[in-house]
Amino acid sequence: MKQLSDIVARFRIAGSVAEIAPLGAGLINDSYRVRTEGTDTPDYVLQRINHAIFQDVDLLQANITAVTAHIRRKLTEAGADDIDRKVLSFIETEEGKTYYYDGENYWRVMILIPRSQTFEAVTPESSRHAGQAFGHFQAMLADLPDTLGETIPDFHNMEFRLRQLREAVATDAVGRVQEVRDYIGEIEKRAESMCRAEQLYREGKLPKRVCHCDTKVNNMLFDEDGRVLCVIDLDTVMPSFIFSDYGDFLRTGANTGDEDDKDLDRVSFDMAVFRAFTEGYLSSARAFLKPVEIEHLPYAATLFPYMQCVRFLADYINGDTYYKIRYPEHNLVRTRAQFKLLQSVEEHLPEMKEFIAHCLRA
């Protein structure tokens, strides 16, 4: 408590600290709720930034500052009410920075948004909210004048992920290539078509935009009446193709099974979630999207299970050096489940294209 209090004291918070307690169970950053004395000062969230993943903290916080300032300006210009609950606010240190380095760890403090909640369940209703929220988030940032950096370089670069797999296959560090030849073949069969985004970008036909790049239902805050307040967890906000936000949500949200499901009969693509998310997304994003982006939304739905399949398989071939595993074949099981999801998405491609056309006609 004393050590955390000392860290909080480095930031220009209002009020006196009454209590610091763990908050949530984040997979990346450690978070703490900082409760202040009295009712006239806000509570705060203290976070330890995962420096192993986000290695350029200065760039990370510069991105977040640019994004939150732009959203706040847009909300103010639109005459929005309750703005402090609709965009995150980060507190500066005495030196004017939005993070503090204690010699070992990096820390930041933001104002806790009161009377807010998150949801974990993925349903058609929550998926529609998610689509609207992340589409609106992209729309708000479509005219961001600042140039953001990549907080995780090549995070959703399909060509890069394929190079990693091919290097793993060529090295065959632990002698596993032979048993996964069929999966390698299926991946290579689709490789050129799955790199379509990078090809279109080089041809000058597909733009990069400011994207969230971690579109999960629990990365939104809702008010007490169940209305979306704002998008949170902004560490991965960076330039990317809009496919990152659209496809990655569907990879997890529309999977009827688990990411590492051993029972492949449970794994399929949930079209009810797809329709709800797509409807919500297009309702808030179609005004700024280019035709080429809308045309390739079904491609985005296939891209992310394919990309994750490639990443799990590469890690299995490398001897499980990246993802944590619970048993020796865990990454192979993950590969199989993601490939089954990919096949299910592919089966629904005509239906997806027709539904998107329907949304555009509405």
Side-chain angles (χ1 to χ4, degrees):
M1 172 68 174
K2 180 67 167 62
Q3 181 188 6
L4 295 179
S5 296
D6 291 343
I7 292 167
V8 172
R10 298 282 181 167
F11 293 84
R12 298 170 178 169
I13 70 165
S16 302
V17 174
E19 180 187 34
I20 300 177
L23 178 66
L27 298 177
I28 304 299
N29 302 314
D30 296 325
S31 299
Y32 303 86
R33 178 170 182 155
V34 180
R35 189 171 62 80
T36 58
E37 300 280 4
T39 58
D40 57 344
T41 54
D43 289 348
Y44 298 90
V45 176
L46 169 68
Q47 280 190 331
R48 178 165 49 196
I49 301 169
N50 190 325
H51 187 226
I53 294 177
F54 302 106
Q55 298 182 6
D56 189 338
V57 175
D58 201 56
L59 181 150
L60 170 75
Q61 289 301 112
N63 277 6
I64 291 174
T65 298
V67 165
T68 52
H70 190 72
I71 292 175
R72 183 173 291 274
R73 187 160 51 249
K74 282 290 193 70
L75 291 171
T76 302
E77 291 170 355
D81 59 355
D82 217 5
I83 290 177
D84 287 338
R85 296 179 73 208
K86 295 178 179 176
V87 61
L88 297 178
S89 300
F90 288 81
I91 305 301
E92 292 185 345
T93 64
E94 292 299 329
E95 294 74 33
K97 291 188 173 184
T98 56
Y99 65 89
Y100 167 67
Y101 181 58
D102 67 3
E104 182 177 353
N105 295 300
Y106 290 84
W107 301 85
R108 65 187 170 202
V109 170
M110 70 191 88
I111 296 176
L112 179 76
I113 295 178
R115 306 181 311 282
S116 63
Q117 57 187 326
T118 59
F119 297 121
E120 297 289 336
V122 178
T123 64
E125 182 182 6
S126 66
S127 298
R128 184 173 288 102
H129 285 312
Q132 290 170 336
F134 288 116
H136 183 60
F137 180 81
Q138 288 180 344
M140 294 268 277
L141 297 170
D143 60 349
L144 179 72
D146 306 83
T147 300
L148 303 187
E150 292 189 22
T151 56
I152 306 177
D154 293 314
F155 188 40
H156 286 161
N157 183 331
M158 193 61 250
E159 291 178 337
F160 171 72
R161 297 304 182 185
L162 279 167
R163 284 198 299 273
Q164 289 182 313
L165 174 63
R166 288 162 182 163
E167 289 168 5
V169 170
T171 304
D172 196 11
V174 293
R176 289 175 170 177
V177 165
Q178 193 55 42
E179 68 172 305
V180 294
R181 284 288 182 193
D182 288 347
Y183 283 109
I184 295 170
E186 291 289 349
I187 285 167
E188 290 295 352
K189 187 168 67 177
R190 295 166 171 81
E192 184 176 356
S193 64
M194 286 298 177
C195 293
R196 183 68 174 146
E198 286 80 15
Q199 294 160 6
L200 288 169
Y201 178 69
R202 281 193 293 270
E203 293 168 4
K205 298 175 182 177
L206 182 68
K208 284 193 175 183
R209 302 188 184 274
V210 178
C211 296
H212 187 275
C213 296
D214 190 18
T215 46
K216 297 182 177 68
V217 165
N218 60 7
N219 277 339
M220 299 181 296
L221 285 185
F222 294 81
D223 67 13
E224 50 270 75
D225 297 318
R227 294 185 295 259
V228 176
L229 285 170
C230 64
V231 170
I232 60 172
D233 198 358
L234 305 180
D235 289 341
T236 53
V237 173
M238 59 181 134
S240 191
F241 306 118
I242 60 103
F243 309 146
S244 291
D245 287 358
Y246 182 83
D248 201 23
F249 177 88
L250 291 173
R251 182 187 76 82
T252 55
N255 186 353
T256 59
D258 297 325
E259 186 177 70
D260 57 354
D261 216 313
K262 292 182 178 181
D263 183 359
L264 297 183
D265 290 336
R266 296 180 66 245
V267 178
S268 65
F269 189 64
D270 189 333
M271 284 298 293
V273 168
F274 162 81
R275 286 190 289 269
F277 182 77
T278 299
E279 211 167 44
Y281 180 72
L282 288 176
S283 73
S284 53
R286 66 182 290 184
F288 76 88
L289 293 177
K290 291 178 175 290
V292 67
E293 293 171 302
I294 296 174
E295 175 191 346
H296 284 83
L297 290 179
Y299 153 79
T302 62
L303 176 62
F304 278 81
Y306 176 84
M307 187 183 298
Q308 203 58 50
C309 182
V310 167
R311 295 183 67 186
F312 285 145
L313 183 58
D315 199 34
Y316 181 70
I317 293 171
N318 281 331
D320 312 305
T321 59
Y322 184 82
Y323 293 105
K324 291 180 181 179
I325 59 171
R326 296 194 302 272
Y327 50 90
E329 298 81 24
H330 198 175
N331 273 320
L332 181 56
V333 168
R334 289 165 166 155
T335 300
R336 290 170 177 154
Q338 290 300 292
F339 185 69
K340 175 66 187 304
L341 177 62
L342 169 64
Q343 290 176 308
S344 180
V345 178
E346 289 172 338
E347 291 170 2
H348 288 289
L349 278 171
E351 190 179 348
M352 285 192 283
K353 292 175 182 177
E354 175 53 38
F355 183 76
I356 290 170
H358 166 76
C359 289
L360 298 178
R361 291 192 298 266

